[in-house]
Structures are given as structure tokens and as C-alpha cells.
Amino acid sequence: MRKPFVAGNWKMNTDSHSSVELAQAVANSASGLAGDKVNVALIPPFVYLQSVVKAVKSTGVSVGAQDLYFEAKGAFTGEISPAMLKDIGCNYVLCGHSERRHVIGESDELVGKKVTAAIGGGLLPILCVGELLAERDGGQTEAVVARQLKAGLAGLSADKMSAVTIAYEPVWAIGTGRTATPQQAQEVHVFIRRFLAGMFNEKLAAEIRIQYGGSANAGNAKDLMAQADVDGLLVGGASLKAEDFVKIIQAAA
Ligand code: PEP
């Protein structure tokens, strides 16, 4: 049985005050669900991680980072190591979010190094995969997702895979208000599970959690979560309002 997992990616939003307020509001309303019926993670900007960790302490809500660097330490100006994130109480980390792939220019190989480093550092990576609109229209969805999974998980043996969550996030649905239909999400999630069965094994493929992300909100969460292979949601915009995000957590639980 796969426990639902809802994560809120705040991207480059909030400030020192509103980040804590939002974290507290989510933790207060989600207590009783978070950790028990559903895993919940808040993913704020780096600079607010510590105060958000403090705000949700002992509430069952976890905290994740939006990115990391694959090296352990040294002359990598501007970067953050897995050990640093672990040190301040972070559990999860996004790897290969589409904005990092397509805005910042991260390659599939770099994302793979980050996933391996995250696990090496005791973090739980959420590997994001998903196709551009032109790729979907060109019938390349499965090829793109397969390529991203292959490179993203290249450094891992099957026994390390229990730390990993996959997030299927069609790029055309992120921040656009154009959600994939539950059927479109389900189809790709089934493909991802089949691909992982081939790359690793059937048991692992049956156990791994696959989140959907792309304009998920309080109104569509239930229908998306009703799909057999949708195990959770990675939420951007709708995670910035506690009330909406809590409704999504409730729908998932
Ligand atoms: C995301 O940032 O991962 C995301 C899915 O954003 P949104 O929910 O705003 O589409």
C-alpha cells in the first residue's frame, strides 16, 4: 500500500514572515493527517528552510529543498550540499524540477548526479520528469520521460530506490492552469511504473510513489488522486495558500 504524498513547492515566493505563517497554518490544519495518513512536505526557498523546519517541528509535516549540488563541499560558489540540507532538518529535495531543466538549463546527467548525491547524504529525492507541449504533440511523451528516468536514476541500485519519489510533471501543465486530465496523468504513471519494472524490478515498481504535478488545486485534487497510479501531488501555486493546500492534503488522505 503506497501512502499518499503531497508536497508544496513554493518556488521563489514568500518572505521571512509569510513563510513561517504559511508553514504554521498548514501544520495546524493538517495535524492529525500529516505523517499518519499522508506524507506532507513543504518546499520553501533555501533561505527560509531553517525557520520553516522550526515552524513545523513535531507536527508530522516535513520540509524539503528545491535543489542541491552533488558535491560534498568546496569551491562551488552559490551551491548547497546534501549534508547542509540534512544538517538543518531537511528531509526531501526536488531534483530536476522542470524550471531547473528548462529555465536554468540542467541536463539529465546533472539531475542524475543530484539524485545520487541526495541519497548519499541521507535525503529523500523527488525526481521530476515530464515533457514539453511540443514533445507531447509530437508523440514523444514516453520517450522523454524514459530518457529522464534512465539518466536521473542511473547511479542507483534497486536497494537505494526506496528513498526516491517520482513526480510526473508535464511542463505544459505547470503554472499554466491547464491541468493534465486524470486519464492523461494515469497513462503516464502506468508507463513510469512499467519502465521502472524493467530498469529495476516489479516489486520496486509496485512500491514506488509517483506524484502528479501541474496546476493541481483544491478543485481537481480528488479526481487526480482517484487514479490508481497517482500516489500524491506536487503542488506549486496552490501550495501558497494554506486553505487550498490543506484541502489538497485532505483530498489525498
Ligand atoms: C510545480 O512547481 O511543481 C508545479 C506543479 O506548479 P503548479 O502547481 O503551479 O503548476
Side-chain angles (χ1 to χ4, degrees), residues 9-11 94 97-99 128 169 173-177 212-217 234-239:
N9 173 17
W10 296 357
K11 311 192 189 199
L94 297 180
H97 188 278
S98 76
E99 286 144 23
C128 303
E169 299 207 298
I174 297 180
T176 58
Y212 165 79
S215 300
N217 59 42
L234 178 53
V235 185
S239 70

Side-chain angles (χ1 to χ4, degrees), residues 49-246:
L49 277 170
Q50 267 186 297
S51 43
V52 169
V53 165
K54 202 166 150 214
V56 301
K57 199 169 186 259
S58 310
T59 65
V61 173
S62 299
V63 179
Q66 297 177 14
D67 187 32
L68 86 180
Y69 197 56
F70 64 85
E71 295 285 2
K73 63 177 185 171
F76 304 103
T77 302
E79 297 297 336
I80 306 282
S81 74
M84 290 171 182
L85 296 175
K86 192 74 191 162
D87 180 39
I88 58 153
C90 234
N91 290 320
Y92 293 95
V93 61
L94 297 180
C95 295
H97 188 278
S98 76
E99 286 144 23
R100 296 214 59 88
R101 291 179 189 269
H102 298 295
V103 180
I104 312 290
E106 290 192 5
S107 67
D108 295 338
E109 288 65 34
L110 177 59
V111 174
K113 285 183 182 175
K114 291 185 174 193
V115 172
T116 302
I119 294 179
L123 297 165
L124 303 170
I126 301 172
L127 171 62
C128 303
V129 298
E131 79 288 1
L132 297 162
L133 184 57
E135 291 167 337
R136 172 160 282 261
D137 289 346
Q140 295 172 307
T141 297
E142 293 189 356
V144 169
V145 169
R147 191 197 72 223
Q148 292 174 337
L149 288 172
K150 193 162 176 253
L153 303 171
L156 302 183
S157 53
D159 64 310
K160 297 272 195 280
M161 281 293 292
S162 59
V164 178
T165 299
I166 306 293
Y168 169 57
E169 299 207 298
V171 182
W172 47 271
I174 297 180
T176 58
R178 183 181 164 190
T179 322
T181 64
Q183 292 70 26
Q184 283 173 322
Q186 169 66 10
E187 272 171 26
V188 181
H189 285 221
V190 168
F191 169 76
I192 290 172
R193 235 178 264 291
R194 259 196 291 120
F195 185 86
L196 294 177
M199 187 170 175
F200 296 98
N201 60 62
E202 292 283 350
K203 183 171 179 289
L204 180 154
E207 288 173 356
I208 195 163
R209 292 186 296 188
I210 308 175
Q211 296 175 317
Y212 165 79
S215 300
N217 59 42
N220 58 30
K222 207 160 172 223
D223 287 345
L224 287 162
M225 285 301 300
Q227 300 301 308
D229 290 278
V230 175
D231 307 316
L233 299 166
L234 178 53
V235 185
S239 70
L240 291 169
K241 274 183 74 183
E243 200 185 324
D244 290 353
F245 191 57
V246 169

